[in-house]
């Protein structure tokens, strides 16, 4: 586990600490260490759960191929075009990350049983919006130091999850631990080691800027970040109460400087309430429907702009599309072209002046809603 400590307040930055200590995933955070904002974990049960979820969905996709457009595929996992270079994620999805070509008969039986269970009961549920999936994920976070989920080794490790789920996971665990986990754990730790210097250099300022921008307090205490091979179609998601981020260490979109933006975009979900409410109020005042996902497009735009400024200081927003500048996630990966093009134009015209300090928050929200 690697803890990155940042203490922030709306009024300013109090201190920045980097605890450069990579421990085994079963160890608990030091109680004497400075309170971190991000606490990174590479947890066995969390990774097994997400990997089985992905594999089950891929199996469903193979049984029901998508149209050539790639639409309507589970989590957007469309087959790659002929000749297209494979990403690390797609190789991992096929099982290339440290797994021999064939499992033993006993291993295959246990693994197939787990895939059957996930395909039949869990693979159709959304990782973010399904309450049961959130509860399962949170329970795995609490039990990451446990050798089992049934309480055999320690009564405190009795997960309380459905017996069928516990049985298939405990039977699949030795297979995953032998065949895939070493490579997945290394990938998780490598991703964390890569983003750590960026958080150390820019994290304190970004936390303060985002808190000020959204007129919301940065989350108190630690933000747990679980690194896994697969974390949904966007490569990361965040659940609230408590705030917990799950991010794919294998997703090609989460690599290099983009890892910093992904991390702070996900953390910004805990700050989004004020701007989401402001948009809703303005829409009601004007008798307009609340635009679907406008607040989320605004989060992408804002975090991308803040990270761009941090990584390429001295360049204005228009330079963000230049080759020498850091290109924010939403521009680089075409999010606005997938139904958000109207939001993009409105954000550039009405929200950017607020980020530049030229207009007030309420004015920017009013102009943004008016432009749609």
């Amino acid at each position: 586990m690697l803890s990155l400590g940042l203490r922030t307040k709306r009024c300013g930055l109090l201190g920045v600490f980097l605890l450069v200590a990579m421990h085994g995933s079963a160890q608990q955070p030091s109680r004497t260490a400075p309170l971190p904002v991000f606490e990174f974990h590479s947890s066995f049960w969390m990774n097994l759960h997400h990997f089985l979820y992905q594999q089950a969905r891929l199996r469903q996709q193979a049984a029901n191929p998508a149209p050539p457009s790639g639409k309507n595929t589970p989590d957007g996992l469309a087959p790659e075009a002929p000749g297209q270079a494979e990403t690390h994620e797609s190789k991992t999805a096929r099982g290339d990350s440290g797994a021999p070509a064939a499992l033993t008969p006993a291993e295959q039986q246990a693994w197939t049983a787990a895939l059957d269970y996930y395909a039949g009961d869990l693979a159709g549920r959304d990782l973010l919006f399904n309450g049961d999936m959130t509860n399962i994920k949170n329970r795995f976070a609490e039990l990451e130091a446990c050798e089992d989920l049934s309480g055999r080794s320690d009564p405190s490790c009795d997960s309380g999850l459905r017996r069928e789920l516990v049985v298939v996971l405990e039977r699949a665990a030795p297979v995953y631990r032998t065949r895939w986990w070493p490579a997945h754990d290394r990938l998780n730790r490598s991703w964390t080691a890569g983003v750590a210097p960026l958080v150390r250099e820019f994290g304190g300022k970004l936390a303060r800027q985002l808190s000020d921008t959204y007129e919301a307090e940065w989350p108190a205490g630690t933000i747990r970040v679980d690194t896994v091979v697969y974390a949904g179609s966007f490569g990361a998601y965040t659940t609230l109460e408590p705030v917990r981020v799950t991010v794919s260490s294998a997703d090609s979109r989460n690599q290099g400087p983009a890892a910093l933006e992904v991390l702070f975009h996900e953390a910004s979900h805990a700050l989004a309430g004020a701007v989401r409410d402001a948009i809703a109020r303005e829409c009601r005042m004007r008798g307009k429907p609340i635009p679907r996902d406008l607040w989320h497009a605004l989060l992408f735009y804002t975090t991308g702009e803040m990270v761009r400024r941090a990584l390429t200081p001295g360049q204005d927003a228009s330079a963000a599309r230049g080759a020498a500048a850091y290109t924010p996630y939403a521009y680089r990966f075409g999010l606005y072209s997938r139904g958000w093009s109207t939001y993009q134009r409105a954000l550039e015209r009405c929200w950017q002046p607020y980020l530049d300090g030229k207009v007030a928050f309420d004015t920017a929200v009013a102009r943004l809603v008016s432009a749609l």
Side-chain angles (χ1 to χ4, degrees):
M1 178 184 65
L2 179 68
S3 295
L4 295 174
L6 306 172
R7 287 185 178 180
T8 63
K9 271 189 175 181
R10 286 291 317 284
C11 60
L13 182 66
L14 293 182
V16 181
F17 307 88
L18 173 63
L19 308 183
V20 190
M22 182 72 76
H23 303 293
S25 60
Q27 294 191 10
Q28 300 299 314
S30 169
R31 298 299 181 187
T32 60
L35 184 65
V37 165
F38 297 112
E39 184 178 277
F40 292 88
H41 295 253
S42 180
S43 168
F44 175 82
W45 295 113
M46 189 76 72
N47 275 266
L48 173 58
H49 168 63
H50 283 82
F51 189 54
L52 281 169
Y53 177 88
Q54 179 203 36
Q55 294 294 298
R57 291 175 75 87
L58 286 170
R59 190 171 76 170
Q60 290 177 332
Q61 176 188 321
N64 299 282
S69 65
K71 295 179 181 179
N72 301 321
T73 57
D75 274 355
L77 292 170
E80 294 178 348
Q84 181 177 343
E86 285 190 310
T87 64
H88 198 152
E89 184 180 19
S90 65
K91 293 179 181 179
T92 301
R94 284 206 342 263
D96 291 350
S97 289
L103 304 178
T104 68
E107 288 175 329
Q108 188 65 62
Q109 183 179 14
W111 193 251
T112 299
L115 286 177
D116 288 344
Y117 180 84
Y118 268 72
D121 191 51
L122 298 180
R125 306 185 187 193
D126 191 278
L127 287 169
L128 174 59
F129 297 110
N130 183 274
D132 287 341
M133 297 300 281
T134 299
N135 291 336
I136 290 170
K137 186 197 76 163
N138 285 339
R139 196 71 183 110
F140 287 153
E142 296 162 355
L143 299 172
E144 71 173 338
C146 292
E147 296 179 6
D148 58 69
L149 301 173
S150 57
R152 292 193 313 275
S153 60
D154 184 338
S156 66
C157 289
D158 185 351
S159 66
L161 299 173
R162 280 179 292 172
R163 182 178 181 276
E164 296 85 354
L165 175 60
V166 171
V167 168
V168 298
L169 285 174
E170 290 190 345
R171 289 177 179 172
V175 184
Y176 180 64
R177 185 174 285 110
T178 300
R179 302 287 184 159
W180 286 284
W181 173 236
H184 291 182
D185 188 38
R186 284 195 299 271
L187 188 60
N188 294 339
R189 291 167 179 269
S190 176
W191 187 89
T192 300
V195 78
L198 296 174
V199 175
R200 178 179 57 196
E201 183 173 359
F202 303 110
K205 184 177 181 180
L206 284 171
R208 175 178 55 79
Q209 288 177 332
L210 290 168
S211 180
D212 289 343
T213 297
Y214 294 122
E215 298 189 348
E217 294 286 349
W218 187 264
T222 60
I223 297 178
R224 179 184 174 107
V225 179
D226 280 289
T227 51
V228 296
V229 167
Y230 178 72
S233 59
F234 286 103
Y237 68 99
T238 299
T239 53
L240 305 176
E241 298 180 1
V243 179
R244 286 176 174 168
V245 175
T246 307
V247 61
S248 169
S249 60
D251 194 302
S252 59
R253 297 165 295 184
N254 296 346
Q255 308 308 315
L260 182 68
E261 182 180 347
V262 169
L263 192 60
F264 276 89
H265 169 86
E266 292 302 324
S268 292
H269 280 261
L271 308 176
V275 71
R276 189 168 55 235
D277 292 346
I279 291 171
R281 284 195 306 271
E282 191 65 31
C283 287
R284 285 193 291 268
M285 287 175 57
R286 295 173 180 268
K288 302 178 69 170
I290 300 172
R292 177 182 171 86
D293 290 335
L294 173 59
W295 69 271
H296 201 193
L298 185 148
L299 253 64
F300 272 107
Y301 188 91
T302 302
T303 307
E305 173 64 6
M306 295 302 179
V307 171
R308 183 198 64 77
R309 291 178 182 182
L311 297 179
T312 53
Q315 295 181 329
D316 61 23
S318 63
R321 272 66 84 192
Y326 171 77
T327 302
Y329 185 103
Y331 287 103
R332 183 176 182 182
F333 298 111
L335 262 62
Y336 297 125
S337 64
R338 303 173 194 175
W340 285 0
S341 57
T342 301
Y343 295 167
Q344 175 189 351
R345 292 190 293 270
L347 288 165
E348 290 173 346
R349 186 167 68 253
C350 306
W351 187 249
Q352 183 67 43
Y354 169 62
L355 300 183
D356 293 338
K358 297 177 180 178
V359 300
F361 177 87
D362 291 339
T363 300
V365 171
R367 291 178 179 176
L368 184 61
V369 170
S370 177
L372 298 175

